[in-house]
């Protein structure tokens, strides 16, 4: 878990550098600060389970085990990218990993998650689907319709709200009539929970029962996990709407330092940390090299994948 | 050949495809216990059970999304919109998800789904319940759009749509459900993207689809009485469109009249017209003319509604202008 969180951090720091150098464009939403949420939740899943994500999808994809080379190449818009250079930062997909995509319309994919749940039930698969979204998505129609249908039909979905306290520049108190997202589950007679997301083991332990409940066919849950993004909403956002003090307060709860302290307490020594750091840096550097050396998509690819032949 | 109604054709196609493939299911408002708002799914709940004929609450965005999500895992949903008017609520799901997921996923995730339901103007249903929206869907790459005029075409095309691995927008005619047409008892398919010459002729070409075909038929007697011999080309599929058939029909007569139920601006007809002038410019003897719904929301009053839609008077006037060149 520690290694995966560090991988997300180093991968995204590298992405931010490359972005700043103009090596790629588009929107680039970083997950830095929220690593414990995606990691804790995804570790509680099995390989046969499904994940559906937002435009802030780098972290989820990495923990799920999508190839860092292909992800970096996707950022750079290369032929070797995870979706052949057709999706970019916001649209990582890998069917082999049951990773059903990063989606760019806030909340739209929450309804898709219910549909994945429907298919799991229809095909009698022994699986669940987790949908990640931000607290901003909880104000969108597709969120409410998706939750109602999932509860109505007892679908195996775990709705995970990563509440990072801001949707772009809008803080919760200017966007949600009730600042608590999880309480909306009550309206749909759905199981709910709410907890902090800076301790990865804690996230893992708290989410597991809801995943198992969904797996047993006992219906969906809405889980709100409190977290914070250390950077702006996207690379183009300097995040001036937050005070340095506020950001500092949250940084003291950095999930990676926290995990490191815990490991130190449990006797993991400096050499081991250095080894993990080196391993992660190697993966990221290799991914950068690979993507920079990769060719761009062939022009004919413009017209492929619009329709299945 | 036995005649069946357009409604029966739709139902027969759905039932046969659901019997053939257990991954096909029908979902929408009132499709089950109520037997379908327009009775297209009559008897299907009893036959297939609640997992395959699924009643939903009034949540167009929600169940359109559920269908797409289910299709991501290889199911083949038929999503019924009670009418296409309500599909506007689900527009984001159709445009941003159904149409784009294949492309965004670099070809990894096809979305084999059919969205179907009645479109067009009903009897005095007024502005929010009487509109032809096919142009909206034809506009978007990633979608296929089918709009059959007859029971025969509805049957063969719906079966192809359900078997297609792409999202298909299948627009039925709300006032066509009771129209009958000869449909053989044996199974057959009509490929998406193939137009049909409904009448051979040499003086001018009428290009139309869905209810436009029936507007054409209403005017046909008068056209023939005036001594004209029109070729009637029914497009049936609007995306992909049978470009070859359009060119051939245009070259045969050198004159084209497009009859459509939808609004005139940025419409399917305007695209067809553009296509013809780009490909057949030197073979045209007259400008391409169009008869459409007037450029207004649909009024309620019976006389205004009739004035607003294509009708034999408007069609005759257009024919005369077309032949005056
Ligand atoms: C329907 C829609 N409206 C607006 C946007 C632009 N937008 C992208 S992300 C975002 C903020 C969403 O915040 P939240 O759901 O809390 O997720 P977070 O970015 O904080 O992870 C907005 C407004 C969009 N992508 N989709």
């Amino acid at each position: 878990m520690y290694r995966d969180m560090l991988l997300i951090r180093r991968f995204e720091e590298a992405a931010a550098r490359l972005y700043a150098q103009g090596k790629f464009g588009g929107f680039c939403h970083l997950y830095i600060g929220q690593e414990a949420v995606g990691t804790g939740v995804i570790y509680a899943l099995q390989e046969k389970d499904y994940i559906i994500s937002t435009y802030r999808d780098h972290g989820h994809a990495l923990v799920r085990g999508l190839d860092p080379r292909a992800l970096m190449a996707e950022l750079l818009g290369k032929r070797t990218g995870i979706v052949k250079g057709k999706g970019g930062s916001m649209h990582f997909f890998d069917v082999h990993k049951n990773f059903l995509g990063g989606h760019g319309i806030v909340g739209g994919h929450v309804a898709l998650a219910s549909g994945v749940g429907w298919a799991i039930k229809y095909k009698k698969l022994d699986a669940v689907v987790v949908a990640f979204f931000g607290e901003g998505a909880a104000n969108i129609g597709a969120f409410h319709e998706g939750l109602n249908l999932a509860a109505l039909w007892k679908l195996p979905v775990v709705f995970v709200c990563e509440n990072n306290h801001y949707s772009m520049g809008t803080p919760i108190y200017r966007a949600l009539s009730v600042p608590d997202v999880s309480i909306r589950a009550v309206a749909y007679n759905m199981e709910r929970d709410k907890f902090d997301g800076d301790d990865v083991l804690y996230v893992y332990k708290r989410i597991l029962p809801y995943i198992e409940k969904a797996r047993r066919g006992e219906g969906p849950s809405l889980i709100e996990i409190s977290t914070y993004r250390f950077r702006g909403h996207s690379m183009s956002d300097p995040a001036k709407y937050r005070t340095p003090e506020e950001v500092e307060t949250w940084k003291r709860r950095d999930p990676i330092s926290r995990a490191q302290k815990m490991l130190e307490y449990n006797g993991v020594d400096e050499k081991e940390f250095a080894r993990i750091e080196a391993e992660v840096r190697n993966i990221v550097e290799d991914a950068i090299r690979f993507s920079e050396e990769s060719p761009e998509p062939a022009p004919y690819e413009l017209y492929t994948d619009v329709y299945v032949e | 050949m036995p005649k069946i109604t357009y409604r029966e054709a739709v139902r027969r196609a759905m039932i046969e495809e659901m019997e053939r493939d257990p991954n096909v299911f029908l979902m929408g408002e009132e499709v089950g216990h109520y037997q379908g708002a327009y009775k297209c799914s009559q008897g299907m709940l009893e036959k297939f059970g609640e997992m395959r004929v699924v009643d939903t609450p009034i949540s167009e965005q929600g169940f359109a999304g559920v269908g797409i999500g289910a299709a991501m895992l290889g199911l083949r949903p038929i999503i019924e919109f009670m009418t296409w008017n309500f599909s506007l609520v689900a527009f984001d799901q159709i445009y941003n998800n159904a149409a784009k997921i294949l492309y965004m996923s670099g070809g990894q995730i096809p979305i084999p789904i059919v969205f179907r339901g009645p479109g067009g103007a009903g009897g005095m249903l007024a502005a929010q319940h009487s509109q032809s929206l096919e142009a909206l869907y034809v506009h978007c790459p990633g979608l296929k759009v089918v709009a059959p005029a007859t029971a025969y075409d509805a049957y063969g095309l719906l079966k192809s749509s359900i078997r297609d691995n792409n999202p298909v927008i299948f627009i039925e005619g709300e006032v066509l459900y009771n129209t009958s047409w000869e449909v053989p008892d044996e199974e057959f398919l009509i490929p998406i993207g193939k137009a049909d010459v409904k009448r051979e002729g040499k003086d001018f070409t009428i290009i139309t689809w869905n209810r436009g075909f029936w507007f054409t038929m209403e005017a046909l007697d008068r056209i023939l009485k005036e001594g004209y011999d029109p070729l009637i080309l029914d497009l049936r599929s609007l995306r992909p469109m049978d470009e070859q058939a359009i060119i051939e029909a245009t070259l045969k007569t050198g004159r084209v009249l497009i009859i459509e139920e939808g609004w005139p601006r940025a419409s399917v007809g305007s695209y067809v017209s553009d296509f013809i002038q780009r490909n057949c410019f030197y073979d045209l003897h007259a400008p391409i003319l169009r008869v459409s719904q007037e450029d207004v929301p649909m009024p309620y009053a019976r006389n205004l509604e009739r004035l607003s839609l294509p009708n034999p008077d408007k069609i005759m006037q257009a024919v005369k202008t077309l032949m005056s060149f």
Side-chain angles (χ1 to χ4, degrees):
Chain A
M1 285 179 164
Y2 173 79
R3 176 194 164 280
D4 279 354
M5 291 199 291
L6 198 66
L7 176 61
I8 299 173
R9 181 73 54 100
R10 296 293 175 254
F11 181 95
E12 290 208 315
E13 285 165 353
R17 267 197 316 278
L18 294 173
Y19 191 92
Q21 292 165 14
K23 294 265 173 76
F24 68 98
F27 287 133
C28 178
H29 308 87
L30 300 182
Y31 196 60
I32 290 177
Q34 305 186 200
E35 293 93 339
V37 181
T39 307
V41 171
I42 293 171
Y43 265 77
L45 294 175
Q46 301 176 16
E47 257 175 52
K48 60 194 173 193
D49 295 332
Y50 294 87
I51 294 170
I52 190 159
S53 174
T54 68
Y55 43 84
R56 202 181 297 284
D57 57 357
H58 304 170
H60 304 144
L62 284 165
V63 185
R64 185 55 171 186
L66 275 65
D67 178 6
R69 280 182 154 197
L71 298 183
M72 193 64 86
E74 187 59 37
L75 294 184
L76 270 65
K78 296 302 180 73
R79 185 184 298 188
T80 50
I82 193 89
V83 293
K84 305 189 293 194
K86 287 185 169 169
S89 165
M90 300 192 286
H91 306 303
F92 290 169
F93 283 80
D94 190 347
V95 273
H96 304 295
K97 302 271 184 203
N98 289 353
F99 192 83
L100 300 178
H103 296 261
I105 305 295
V106 170
H109 70 298
V110 175
L112 298 185
S114 297
V116 174
W118 170 264
I120 290 170
K121 187 167 175 175
Y122 190 99
K123 294 174 146 189
K124 301 194 172 73
L125 303 178
D126 172 30
V128 304
V129 53
V130 163
F132 290 105
F133 51 89
E135 81 287 350
N139 297 326
I140 274 256
F143 167 87
H144 294 278
E145 298 187 24
L147 257 65
N148 181 52
L149 294 175
L152 189 67
W153 295 331
K154 277 195 181 302
L155 302 178
V157 191
V158 182
F159 297 98
V160 176
C161 175
E162 297 192 58
N163 184 347
N164 61 16
H165 299 82
Y166 288 86
S167 48
M168 287 184 73
T170 306
I172 294 174
Y173 70 87
R174 286 205 286 118
L176 283 86
S177 54
V178 176
D180 186 327
V181 173
S182 76
I183 212 164
R184 297 183 179 202
V186 176
Y188 304 111
N189 194 19
M190 189 185 287
E191 189 93 32
R192 72 183 176 110
D193 204 348
K194 176 175 177 148
F195 49 87
D196 283 338
D198 50 356
D199 177 347
V200 68
L201 266 182
Y202 182 74
V203 171
Y204 170 84
K205 283 185 197 147
R206 278 292 281 266
I207 198 83
L208 197 55
Y210 300 103
I211 289 169
E212 290 316 315
K213 177 176 142 62
R215 202 184 300 286
R216 287 193 305 271
E218 291 169 18
S221 329
L222 172 60
I223 313 298
E224 177 182 355
I225 306 179
S226 174
T227 183
Y228 200 78
R229 56 172 159 75
F230 295 168
R231 306 284 189 110
H233 167 67
S234 68
M235 282 301 293
S236 56
D237 169 25
K240 294 229 173 76
Y241 42 84
R242 314 189 295 193
T243 62
E245 296 76 40
E246 177 183 313
V247 180
E248 273 321 303
T249 312
W250 280 95
K251 279 194 174 167
R252 267 181 254 128
R253 302 172 64 170
D254 182 341
I256 294 182
S257 323
R258 189 174 174 136
Q260 185 167 352
K261 277 198 202 97
M262 178 113 78
L263 291 169
E264 278 165 3
Y265 182 77
N266 282 292
V268 176
D269 63 11
E270 246 170 66
K271 256 176 42 199
E272 181 63 7
F273 286 119
R275 193 193 60 73
I276 297 173
E277 181 77 45
E279 180 197 330
V280 164
R281 278 184 192 282
N282 267 335
I283 294 173
V284 173
E285 271 159 32
D286 168 66
I288 295 173
R289 206 174 317 113
F290 172 79
S291 29
E292 289 190 325
E293 285 165 5
S294 289
E296 293 186 322
Y300 76 84
E301 284 283 2
L302 175 61
Y303 292 100
T304 59
D305 303 325
V306 180
Y307 294 98
V308 185
E309 289 314 318
Chain B
M1 239 191 288
K3 280 192 169 187
I4 63 171
T5 63
Y6 194 103
R7 170 184 292 107
E8 282 167 59
V10 168
R11 176 166 55 230
R12 186 178 140 196
M14 287 197 287
I15 289 175
E16 285 177 12
E17 290 308 299
M18 283 174 67
E19 282 171 340
R20 199 182 63 87
D21 181 351
N23 284 326
V24 180
F25 67 94
L26 173 67
M27 178 178 268
E29 290 157 16
E30 312 291 1
V31 297
H33 292 272
Y34 189 83
Q35 308 290 318
Y38 289 82
K39 301 290 174 262
C40 286
S41 54
Q42 197 148 29
M44 288 177 63
L45 173 64
E46 201 181 335
K47 194 169 174 53
F48 294 105
E50 289 195 328
M51 273 312 270
R52 300 191 66 199
V53 179
V54 190
D55 280 324
T56 67
I58 304 161
S59 328
E60 277 75 10
Q61 187 176 180
F63 66 76
V66 164
I68 299 162
M72 290 176 90
L73 260 59
L75 296 184
R76 311 184 74 85
I78 305 170
I79 300 296
E80 176 174 309
F81 288 120
M82 193 177 281
T83 76
W84 278 99
N85 303 292
F86 316 134
S87 76
L88 297 178
V89 177
F91 215 53
D92 168 53
Q93 292 295 338
I94 298 172
Y95 251 57
N96 276 321
N97 290 338
K100 312 284 172 54
I101 283 174
L102 180 73
Y103 202 78
M104 293 193 312
S105 68
Q108 290 184 64
I109 303 184
I111 306 294
I113 192 169
V114 177
F115 296 100
R116 52 156 288 274
M124 300 178 73
L125 289 179
Q128 293 177 334
H129 285 74
S130 284
Q131 40 193 345
S132 295
L133 299 174
E134 59 263 34
L136 294 180
Y137 295 102
V138 169
H139 188 60
C140 181
L143 302 176
K144 292 188 176 182
V145 183
V146 176
T150 68
Y152 179 90
D153 296 326
Y155 169 81
L157 278 164
L158 184 50
K159 287 174 74 85
S160 295
S161 302
I162 295 168
R163 293 184 197 188
D164 201 285
N165 285 324
N166 297 286
V168 180
I169 304 293
F170 193 91
I171 300 177
E172 294 151 22
E174 183 164 331
V175 296
L176 303 186
Y177 282 131
N178 282 330
T179 60
S180 296
W181 204 267
E182 287 184 339
V183 182
D185 286 330
E186 314 82 67
E187 174 178 63
F188 64 94
L189 297 177
I190 297 172
I192 294 175
K194 270 257 164 276
D196 183 38
V197 177
K198 287 272 190 306
R199 184 185 190 280
E200 285 289 359
K202 58 179 181 355
D203 289 341
F204 63 94
T205 296
I206 292 179
I207 297 181
T208 190
W209 59 92
N210 198 282
R211 185 155 176 213
F213 170 71
W214 295 89
F215 288 133
T216 307
M217 294 308 281
E218 275 175 50
L220 188 62
D221 272 354
R222 277 173 64 182
I223 296 174
L224 296 177
K225 245 185 235 137
E226 296 276 340
Y228 299 122
D229 178 21
L231 186 160
I232 303 176
L233 181 71
D234 175 3
L235 291 178
R236 302 194 292 197
S237 297
L238 306 179
R239 187 185 185 113
M241 204 179 262
D242 194 341
E243 301 180 343
Q244 196 55 40
I246 292 174
I247 292 174
E248 279 168 20
T250 302
L251 296 189
K252 260 186 203 157
T253 64
R255 291 184 165 84
V256 178
L257 171 61
I258 298 164
I259 299 177
E260 69 182 323
E261 191 184 356
W263 290 304
R265 295 191 192 204
S267 69
V268 176
S270 58
Y271 174 76
V272 173
S273 159
D274 163 73
F275 174 81
I276 293 172
Q277 73 82 20
R278 275 186 287 118
N279 288 279
C280 311
F281 186 70
Y282 292 105
D283 297 286
L284 287 173
H285 310 320
I288 301 160
L289 297 187
R290 300 197 275 136
V291 176
S292 330
Q293 136 86 318
E294 297 300 318
D295 202 13
V296 294
M298 184 62 73
Y300 169 74
R302 195 185 301 280
N303 68 321
L304 294 183
E305 184 186 76
R306 201 176 298 132
L307 271 179
S308 154
L309 288 168
N311 60 37
D313 287 343
K314 292 186 200 177
I315 293 173
M316 275 319 297
Q317 205 182 340
V319 168
K320 288 196 169 142
T321 312
L322 192 66
M323 295 308 291
S324 71
F325 283 89

